[in-house]
Structures are given as C-alpha cells and as structure tokens.
Coordinates of all heavy atoms in Angstrom, one line a residue:
M1 N -66.8 8.8 39.2 CA -67.0 10.1 38.8 C -67.4 10.1 37.3 O -67.0 9.3 36.5 CB -65.6 10.9 38.9 CG -65.7 12.3 38.6 SD -64.2 13.3 38.9 CE -64.0 13.1 40.6
S2 N -68.3 11.0 37.0 CA -68.8 11.1 35.6 C -68.2 12.3 34.9 O -67.9 13.3 35.5 CB -70.3 11.1 35.5 OG -70.8 12.3 36.3
Y3 N -68.0 12.1 33.6 CA -67.3 13.1 32.8 C -68.2 13.4 31.5 O -68.8 12.5 31.0 CB -65.9 12.7 32.3 CG -65.0 12.5 33.5 CD1 -64.9 11.3 34.1 CD2 -64.1 13.5 33.8 CE1 -64.0 11.1 35.2 CE2 -63.2 13.4 34.9 CZ -63.1 12.2 35.5 OH -62.2 12.0 36.5
T4 N -68.0 14.6 31.0 CA -68.6 15.0 29.7 C -67.6 15.6 28.8 O -66.8 16.4 29.2 CB -69.7 16.1 29.9 OG1 -70.7 15.5 30.8 CG2 -70.3 16.5 28.6
A5 N -67.6 15.1 27.6 CA -66.7 15.6 26.5 C -67.5 16.5 25.7 O -68.7 16.3 25.4 CB -66.1 14.5 25.7
E6 N -66.9 17.6 25.2 CA -67.6 18.6 24.4 C -66.6 19.0 23.3 O -65.4 19.1 23.5 CB -67.9 19.8 25.2 CG -68.6 20.9 24.3 CD -68.9 22.2 25.2 OE1 -68.1 22.5 26.0 OE2 -69.9 22.8 24.9
I7 N -67.2 19.1 22.1 CA -66.4 19.6 20.9 C -67.0 20.9 20.4 O -68.2 20.9 20.1 CB -66.2 18.6 19.8 CG1 -65.3 19.2 18.7 CG2 -67.5 18.1 19.3 CD1 -64.7 18.2 17.7
T8 N -66.3 21.9 20.4 CA -66.7 23.3 20.0 C -66.7 23.3 18.5 O -65.8 23.0 17.9 CB -65.8 24.3 20.6 OG1 -65.7 24.2 22.0 CG2 -66.3 25.7 20.3
I9 N -67.9 23.8 18.0 CA -68.0 23.8 16.5 C -68.3 25.2 16.0 O -68.5 25.4 14.8 CB -69.1 22.8 16.0 CG1 -70.4 23.1 16.7 CG2 -68.6 21.4 16.3 CD1 -71.6 22.4 16.1
S10 N -68.4 26.2 16.8 CA -68.8 27.6 16.4 C -67.8 28.6 16.9 O -67.4 28.6 18.0 CB -70.2 27.9 16.9 OG -70.5 29.2 16.7
S11 N -67.6 29.6 16.1 CA -66.7 30.7 16.4 C -67.3 31.6 17.5 O -66.6 32.3 18.2 CB -66.4 31.6 15.2 OG -67.5 32.1 14.7
A12 N -68.6 31.4 17.8 CA -69.3 32.1 18.9 C -68.7 31.8 20.2 O -68.8 32.7 21.1 CB -70.8 31.9 18.8
V13 N -68.2 30.6 20.4 CA -67.7 30.2 21.7 C -66.2 29.7 21.6 O -65.6 29.4 22.7 CB -68.6 29.1 22.4 CG1 -69.9 29.7 22.7 CG2 -68.7 27.9 21.5
A14 N -65.7 29.6 20.5 CA -64.3 29.0 20.3 C -63.2 30.0 20.8 O -63.4 31.2 20.6 CB -64.1 28.6 18.9
L15 N -62.2 29.4 21.3 CA -61.0 30.2 21.7 C -60.0 30.3 20.6 O -59.1 31.2 20.7 CB -60.4 29.6 23.0 CG -61.3 29.6 24.2 CD1 -60.6 29.0 25.4 CD2 -61.7 31.0 24.6
G16 N -60.1 29.4 19.6 CA -59.1 29.4 18.5 C -59.8 29.3 17.2 O -61.0 29.5 17.1
D17 N -59.1 28.8 16.2 CA -59.7 28.7 14.9 C -59.9 27.3 14.5 O -60.3 27.0 13.3 CB -58.8 29.4 13.8 CG -57.4 28.8 13.7 OD1 -57.0 28.0 14.6 OD2 -56.7 29.2 12.8
K18 N -59.8 26.3 15.4 CA -60.0 24.9 15.2 C -61.1 24.4 16.1 O -61.3 24.9 17.2 CB -58.8 24.1 15.4 CG -57.6 24.5 14.6 CD -57.7 24.0 13.1 CE -56.4 24.4 12.4 NZ -56.5 24.1 11.0
C19 N -61.9 23.4 15.7 CA -62.8 22.7 16.6 C -62.0 22.1 17.7 O -60.9 21.4 17.4 CB -63.6 21.6 15.8 SG -64.7 22.2 14.6
A20 N -62.3 22.2 18.9 CA -61.5 21.7 20.0 C -62.4 20.8 20.9 O -63.6 21.1 21.1 CB -61.0 22.9 20.8
V21 N -61.7 19.8 21.5 CA -62.3 18.8 22.4 C -61.9 19.1 23.8 O -60.7 19.3 24.1 CB -62.0 17.4 22.0 CG1 -62.6 16.4 22.9 CG2 -62.3 17.1 20.5
T22 N -62.8 19.1 24.7 CA -62.5 19.3 26.2 C -63.3 18.2 26.9 O -64.4 17.9 26.6 CB -63.0 20.7 26.6 OG1 -62.4 21.7 25.8 CG2 -62.6 20.9 28.1
V23 N -62.7 17.7 28.0 CA -63.4 16.8 28.9 C -63.4 17.5 30.3 O -62.4 17.9 30.8 CB -62.8 15.4 29.0 CG1 -63.4 14.6 30.0 CG2 -62.8 14.8 27.6
V24 N -64.6 17.5 31.0 CA -64.7 18.0 32.3 C -65.5 17.0 33.2 O -66.4 16.3 32.7 CB -65.3 19.4 32.4 CG1 -64.5 20.4 31.7 CG2 -66.7 19.4 31.9
A25 N -65.1 16.9 34.5 CA -65.9 16.1 35.4 C -67.2 16.9 35.7 O -67.2 18.1 35.8 CB -65.1 16.0 36.7
D26 N -68.2 16.1 35.7 CA -69.6 16.7 35.9 C -69.7 17.5 37.2 O -70.5 18.4 37.3 CB -70.6 15.7 35.7 CG -70.7 15.1 34.3 OD1 -70.2 15.8 33.3 OD2 -71.2 14.0 34.1
N27 N -69.0 17.1 38.2 CA -69.1 17.7 39.5 C -67.9 18.6 39.9 O -67.9 19.2 40.9 CB -69.4 16.7 40.6 CG -68.2 15.7 40.8 OD1 -67.3 15.7 39.9 ND2 -68.2 15.0 41.9
D28 N -66.9 18.7 39.0 CA -65.7 19.5 39.3 C -65.1 19.9 37.9 O -64.3 19.1 37.4 CB -64.8 18.8 40.2 CG -63.6 19.7 40.6 OD1 -63.4 20.8 40.1 OD2 -62.8 19.2 41.5
I29 N -65.3 21.0 37.4 CA -64.8 21.3 36.0 C -63.3 21.5 36.0 O -62.7 21.6 34.9 CB -65.5 22.6 35.4 CG1 -65.2 23.8 36.3 CG2 -67.0 22.4 35.3 CD1 -65.6 25.1 35.7
R30 N -62.6 21.4 37.1 CA -61.2 21.5 37.2 C -60.5 20.2 36.8 O -59.3 20.1 36.7 CB -60.7 22.0 38.5 CG -61.2 23.5 38.8 CD -60.9 23.8 40.2 NE -61.7 23.0 41.1 CZ -61.6 22.9 42.4 NH1 -60.7 23.7 43.0 NH2 -62.4 22.1 43.1
Q31 N -61.3 19.1 36.8 CA -60.8 17.8 36.5 C -61.3 17.4 35.1 O -62.4 17.7 34.7 CB -61.3 16.8 37.5 CG -60.8 17.0 38.9 CD -61.3 15.9 39.9 OE1 -61.6 14.8 39.5 NE2 -61.3 16.3 41.1
G32 N -60.4 16.6 34.4 CA -60.7 16.2 33.0 C -59.6 16.2 32.1 O -58.5 15.7 32.5
M33 N -59.8 16.8 30.9 CA -58.7 16.9 29.9 C -58.7 18.3 29.4 O -59.8 18.8 29.0 CB -59.0 15.9 28.8 CG -58.0 15.9 27.6 SD -58.5 14.8 26.3 CE -59.5 16.0 25.3
E34 N -57.5 18.8 29.2 CA -57.4 20.2 28.6 C -57.9 20.2 27.2 O -57.9 19.1 26.5 CB -55.9 20.6 28.6 CG -55.4 21.0 30.0 CD -54.0 21.6 29.9 OE1 -53.7 22.3 28.9 OE2 -53.2 21.3 30.8
S35 N -58.3 21.3 26.8 CA -58.8 21.5 25.4 C -57.7 21.1 24.4 O -56.6 21.5 24.5 CB -59.2 22.9 25.2 OG -59.8 23.1 23.9
T36 N -58.1 20.3 23.4 CA -57.2 19.8 22.4 C -57.8 20.1 21.0 O -59.0 19.7 20.8 CB -57.0 18.3 22.5 OG1 -56.5 18.0 23.8 CG2 -56.0 17.8 21.5
D37 N -57.1 20.8 20.2 CA -57.6 21.2 18.8 C -57.7 19.9 17.9 O -56.8 19.1 18.0 CB -56.7 22.2 18.2 CG -56.9 23.6 18.8 OD1 -57.9 23.8 19.5 OD2 -56.0 24.4 18.5
T38 N -58.7 19.9 17.1 CA -58.8 19.0 16.0 C -58.2 19.6 14.8 O -57.9 20.8 14.8 CB -60.2 18.6 15.7 OG1 -60.9 19.7 15.1 CG2 -61.0 18.1 16.9
P39 N -58.0 18.9 13.7 CA -57.5 19.6 12.4 C -58.6 20.3 11.7 O -58.3 21.0 10.7 CB -57.0 18.4 11.6 CG -57.6 17.2 12.2 CD -58.0 17.5 13.6
L40 N -59.8 20.3 12.2 CA -61.0 20.9 11.5 C -61.2 22.3 11.9 O -61.2 22.7 13.1 CB -62.2 20.1 11.8 CG -62.2 18.6 11.4 CD1 -63.5 17.9 11.9 CD2 -62.0 18.4 10.0
P41 N -61.3 23.2 10.9 CA -61.5 24.6 11.3 C -62.9 24.9 11.8 O -63.9 24.2 11.5 CB -61.4 25.4 9.9 CG -61.6 24.3 8.9 CD -61.2 23.0 9.5
I42 N -63.0 25.9 12.7 CA -64.3 26.3 13.3 C -65.1 26.8 12.1 O -64.6 27.5 11.2 CB -64.1 27.4 14.3 CG1 -63.5 26.8 15.6 CG2 -65.3 28.3 14.6 CD1 -64.5 26.0 16.4
D43 N -66.4 26.6 12.1 CA -67.4 27.0 11.1 C -67.0 26.6 9.7 O -67.3 27.2 8.7 CB -67.5 28.6 11.1 CG -68.0 29.1 12.4 OD1 -68.9 28.4 13.1 OD2 -67.6 30.2 12.9
G44 N -66.2 25.5 9.6 CA -65.8 24.9 8.4 C -66.9 24.1 7.7 O -68.0 23.9 8.2
D45 N -66.6 23.7 6.5 CA -67.5 23.0 5.7 C -67.3 21.5 5.9 O -66.7 20.8 5.0 CB -67.4 23.4 4.2 CG -68.4 22.7 3.3 OD1 -69.5 22.4 3.8 OD2 -68.1 22.5 2.1
H46 N -67.6 21.0 7.0 CA -67.5 19.6 7.3 C -68.8 19.0 8.0 O -69.6 19.8 8.5 CB -66.3 19.3 8.3 CG -66.1 20.3 9.3 ND1 -65.2 21.4 9.1 CD2 -66.6 20.5 10.5 CE1 -65.2 22.2 10.1 NE2 -66.1 21.7 11.0
T47 N -68.9 17.7 7.9 CA -70.2 17.1 8.4 C -70.1 16.9 9.9 O -69.0 16.9 10.5 CB -70.4 15.8 7.7 OG1 -69.4 14.9 8.1 CG2 -70.5 15.9 6.2
R48 N -71.2 16.7 10.5 CA -71.3 16.3 12.0 C -70.4 15.1 12.2 O -69.7 15.0 13.2 CB -72.7 16.1 12.4 CG -73.0 15.7 13.8 CD -74.5 15.5 14.1 NE -74.8 15.3 15.4 CZ -74.7 14.2 16.1 NH1 -74.4 13.1 15.5 NH2 -75.1 14.1 17.4
E49 N -70.5 14.1 11.3 CA -69.8 12.8 11.5 C -68.3 13.1 11.5 O -67.5 12.4 12.2 CB -70.2 11.8 10.4 CG -71.6 11.3 10.6 CD -72.7 12.2 10.2 OE1 -72.4 13.2 9.4 OE2 -73.8 12.1 10.7
Q50 N -67.8 14.0 10.6 CA -66.4 14.3 10.5 C -65.9 14.9 11.8 O -64.8 14.6 12.3 CB -66.1 15.2 9.4 CG -66.2 14.5 8.0 CD -66.1 15.5 6.9 OE1 -66.7 16.6 6.9 NE2 -65.3 15.2 5.9
V51 N -66.7 15.8 12.4 CA -66.3 16.4 13.6 C -66.3 15.4 14.8 O -65.3 15.4 15.6 CB -67.3 17.6 14.0 CG1 -67.0 18.2 15.3 CG2 -67.2 18.7 12.9
I52 N -67.3 14.6 14.9 CA -67.3 13.5 15.9 C -66.2 12.5 15.7 O -65.6 12.1 16.7 CB -68.7 12.9 15.9 CG1 -69.7 13.9 16.5 CG2 -68.7 11.6 16.8 CD1 -71.2 13.5 16.4
D53 N -65.9 12.1 14.5 CA -64.8 11.2 14.3 C -63.5 11.8 14.8 O -62.7 11.1 15.4 CB -64.7 10.8 12.8 CG -65.8 9.8 12.4 OD1 -66.5 9.2 13.3 OD2 -65.9 9.7 11.2
A54 N -63.3 13.1 14.5 CA -62.0 13.7 14.9 C -62.0 13.8 16.4 O -60.9 13.5 17.1 CB -61.9 15.1 14.3
A55 N -63.1 14.1 17.1 CA -63.2 14.2 18.5 C -62.9 12.9 19.2 O -62.1 12.8 20.1 CB -64.5 14.7 19.0
E56 N -63.5 11.8 18.6 CA -63.3 10.5 19.2 C -61.9 10.0 19.1 O -61.4 9.3 20.0 CB -64.3 9.5 18.6 CG -65.7 9.7 19.1 CD -66.7 8.7 18.6 OE1 -66.4 7.9 17.7 OE2 -67.9 8.8 19.1
G57 N -61.2 10.4 18.0 CA -59.8 10.0 17.8 C -58.9 10.7 18.9 O -58.1 10.0 19.5
I58 N -59.2 11.9 19.2 CA -58.5 12.6 20.2 C -58.8 12.1 21.6 O -57.9 11.9 22.4 CB -58.8 14.2 20.2 CG1 -58.2 14.8 18.9 CG2 -58.3 14.9 21.4 CD1 -58.6 16.2 18.6
L59 N -60.1 11.8 21.8 CA -60.4 11.2 23.1 C -59.7 9.8 23.4 O -59.1 9.6 24.4 CB -62.0 11.0 23.2 CG -62.8 12.3 23.3 CD1 -64.2 12.0 23.1 CD2 -62.5 13.0 24.7
R60 N -59.8 9.0 22.3 CA -59.1 7.7 22.5 C -57.6 7.8 22.7 O -57.0 7.2 23.6 CB -59.3 6.8 21.2 CG -60.6 6.1 21.2 CD -60.6 5.1 20.0 NE -60.3 5.7 18.7 CZ -61.2 6.2 17.9 NH1 -62.5 6.3 18.3 NH2 -60.9 6.7 16.7
A61 N -57.0 8.7 22.0 CA -55.5 9.0 22.1 C -55.2 9.5 23.5 O -54.0 9.3 24.0 CB -55.1 10.0 21.1
N62 N -56.1 10.1 24.2 CA -55.9 10.6 25.6 C -56.5 9.7 26.7 O -56.6 10.1 27.8 CB -56.4 12.0 25.7 CG -55.5 13.0 25.0 OD1 -54.5 13.4 25.5 ND2 -55.9 13.3 23.7
G63 N -56.9 8.5 26.3 CA -57.3 7.5 27.3 C -58.8 7.6 27.7 O -59.2 7.2 28.8
W64 N -59.6 8.2 26.9 CA -61.1 8.3 27.2 C -61.9 7.4 26.3 O -61.6 7.2 25.1 CB -61.5 9.8 27.0 CG -60.9 10.7 27.9 CD1 -59.7 11.5 27.7 CD2 -61.2 11.0 29.3 NE1 -59.4 12.2 28.8 CE2 -60.3 11.9 29.8 CE3 -62.3 10.6 30.1 CZ2 -60.4 12.4 31.1 CZ3 -62.4 11.0 31.4 CH2 -61.4 12.0 31.9
K65 N -63.0 6.9 26.8 CA -63.9 6.1 26.1 C -65.3 6.7 26.1 O -65.8 7.1 27.1 CB -64.0 4.7 26.8 CG -65.0 3.7 26.2 CD -65.0 2.4 27.0 CE -66.1 1.6 26.5 NZ -66.3 0.4 27.3
V66 N -65.9 6.8 24.9 CA -67.3 7.4 24.8 C -68.2 6.3 25.3 O -68.2 5.2 25.0 CB -67.6 7.7 23.3 CG1 -69.0 8.1 23.1 CG2 -66.7 8.8 22.8
T67 N -69.1 6.8 26.2 CA -70.1 5.9 26.9 C -71.5 6.2 26.6 O -72.4 5.5 27.0 CB -69.9 5.8 28.4 OG1 -70.0 7.2 28.9 CG2 -68.5 5.3 28.7
G68 N -71.8 7.3 25.9 CA -73.1 7.7 25.6 C -73.3 8.0 24.1 O -72.4 7.7 23.3
N69 N -74.4 8.7 23.8 CA -74.6 9.1 22.4 C -74.3 10.6 22.3 O -74.7 11.4 23.2 CB -76.1 8.9 22.0 CG -76.4 7.4 22.0 OD1 -75.7 6.6 21.4 ND2 -77.6 7.0 22.6
W70 N -73.7 11.0 21.2 CA -73.4 12.4 21.0 C -74.7 13.2 20.9 O -75.7 12.8 20.2 CB -72.6 12.6 19.7 CG -71.2 12.2 19.9 CD1 -70.7 11.0 19.7 CD2 -70.1 13.0 20.4 NE1 -69.3 11.0 20.0 CE2 -69.0 12.2 20.4 CE3 -70.0 14.3 20.8 CZ2 -67.7 12.7 20.8 CZ3 -68.8 14.8 21.2 CH2 -67.7 14.0 21.2
E71 N -74.8 14.3 21.6 CA -75.9 15.2 21.6 C -75.5 16.5 20.9 O -74.4 16.9 21.0 CB -76.4 15.5 23.0 CG -76.8 14.3 23.8 CD -78.1 13.6 23.4 OE1 -79.0 14.4 22.8 OE2 -78.3 12.4 23.6
D72 N -76.5 17.2 20.3 CA -76.3 18.5 19.7 C -76.6 19.6 20.6 O -77.7 19.7 21.2 CB -77.1 18.7 18.4 CG -76.8 17.6 17.4 OD1 -75.8 16.9 17.5 OD2 -77.6 17.6 16.4
G73 N -75.6 20.6 20.8 CA -75.9 21.8 21.5 C -75.9 22.9 20.6 O -75.8 22.7 19.3
D74 N -76.1 24.1 21.1 CA -76.2 25.3 20.2 C -74.8 25.6 19.4 O -74.8 25.9 18.3 CB -76.5 26.6 21.0 CG -77.9 26.5 21.5 OD1 -78.8 25.8 20.9 OD2 -78.2 27.2 22.5
N75 N -73.7 25.4 20.1 CA -72.4 25.7 19.6 C -71.4 24.5 19.7 O -70.2 24.7 19.5 CB -71.8 26.9 20.3 CG -72.7 28.1 20.1 OD1 -72.9 28.5 18.9 ND2 -73.1 28.7 21.1
S76 N -71.9 23.3 20.0 CA -71.1 22.2 20.3 C -71.8 20.9 20.2 O -73.1 20.9 20.2 CB -70.4 22.3 21.7 OG -71.4 22.3 22.7
Y77 N -71.1 19.8 20.2 CA -71.6 18.5 20.4 C -71.0 18.0 21.7 O -69.9 18.3 22.1 CB -71.2 17.5 19.3 CG -71.6 18.0 17.9 CD1 -70.6 18.0 16.9 CD2 -72.8 18.5 17.6 CE1 -70.9 18.4 15.6 CE2 -73.2 18.9 16.3 CZ -72.2 18.9 15.3 OH -72.5 19.3 14.1
Y78 N -71.8 17.2 22.5 CA -71.3 16.7 23.8 C -71.8 15.2 24.0 O -72.7 14.8 23.4 CB -71.7 17.6 24.9 CG -73.2 17.8 25.0 CD1 -74.0 17.0 25.9 CD2 -73.9 18.8 24.3 CE1 -75.3 17.2 26.0 CE2 -75.2 19.0 24.4 CZ -75.9 18.2 25.2 OH -77.3 18.3 25.3
V79 N -71.0 14.5 24.9 CA -71.2 13.1 25.1 C -70.6 12.7 26.5 O -69.7 13.4 26.9 CB -70.6 12.2 24.0 CG1 -69.1 12.3 24.0 CG2 -71.1 10.8 24.0
T80 N -71.2 11.7 27.1 CA -70.6 11.2 28.3 C -69.4 10.3 28.0 O -69.4 9.6 27.0 CB -71.6 10.4 29.2 OG1 -72.1 9.3 28.4 CG2 -72.7 11.3 29.7
V81 N -68.3 10.4 28.8 CA -67.1 9.6 28.6 C -66.6 9.1 30.0 O -67.1 9.6 31.0 CB -66.0 10.4 27.9 CG1 -66.4 10.8 26.5 CG2 -65.6 11.6 28.8
E82 N -65.8 8.1 29.9 CA -65.1 7.6 31.1 C -63.6 7.4 30.8 O -63.3 7.2 29.6 CB -65.7 6.3 31.6 CG -65.5 5.2 30.7 CD -66.2 3.9 31.2 OE1 -67.3 4.0 31.9 OE2 -65.8 2.8 30.9
H83 N -62.8 7.6 31.8 CA -61.4 7.4 31.6 C -61.1 5.9 31.5 O -61.5 5.1 32.3 CB -60.5 8.0 32.7 CG -59.1 8.3 32.2 ND1 -58.1 7.5 32.5 CD2 -58.7 9.4 31.5 CE1 -57.0 8.0 31.9 NE2 -57.3 9.2 31.4
A84 N -60.5 5.5 30.3 CA -60.3 4.0 30.1 C -59.1 3.5 30.9 O -58.2 4.1 31.3 CB -60.1 3.8 28.6

C-alpha cells in the first residue's frame, strides 16, 4: 500500500493554528496517521526546510519513513512515505 504525507502550511486550509502533518493511504484516506501539529504556527515566518524538518521528526516518531522528495502544493508540502 502506498501513502502520502502532507504538511499544511496555510490558514486557507488549516484546521488549527499550527502546521500539521497527516498521512493517508493513496487508495483509502481512512488509513494512515491522524493529523499531528508541529510547533510551527500557520503562516509563520519560517523556512520551507524548517517546516519539512518538523514534519519529518513527527513522521519518524510515528513510525513513518520518507521515500520520495517533498513537493510543493498551493497550501502544503507533500511526499510519499511508508510505514517503517
């Protein structure tokens, strides 16, 4: 099964006030990892690298391994992952 991790970086789509990481199965969005907040505020003054570093720390802590390259979306960054 393939999974995609996404980190929300814009208040346009965020549910809270922090950048949040979510993992969903590509063929069943009910499987994956619940959204987990990073310490970084939405629309904050931080670099892309800081956001990705925070996301990767959360992914590792929850047993996920990044298997692709981070891509830029309109309101998020996303990457393929697998459960380690």
Side-chain angles (χ1 to χ4, degrees):
M1 184 174 300
S2 60
Y3 295 88
T4 299
E6 177 181 39
I7 183 163
T8 305
I9 58 171
S10 170
S11 59
V13 295
L15 297 177
D17 60 350
K18 304 283 185 186
C19 295
V21 181
T22 306
V23 176
V24 295
D26 293 338
N27 62 348
D28 185 353
I29 62 170
R30 295 171 295 174
Q31 295 183 23
M33 181 186 88
E34 288 186 35
S35 182
T36 304
D37 286 346
T38 71
L40 303 173
I42 286 288
D43 298 326
D45 185 25
H46 37 266
T47 67
R48 181 180 189 273
E49 290 76 23
Q50 289 172 313
V51 174
I52 289 172
D53 286 347
E56 288 183 353
I58 289 169
L59 291 168
R60 278 191 305 276
N62 285 280
W64 296 95
K65 177 183 173 186
V66 172
T67 59
N69 295 316
W70 285 92
E71 302 288 334
D72 296 350
D74 290 336
N75 298 300
S76 62
Y77 304 131
Y78 56 95
V79 69
T80 56
V81 294
E82 64 184 31
H83 204 262

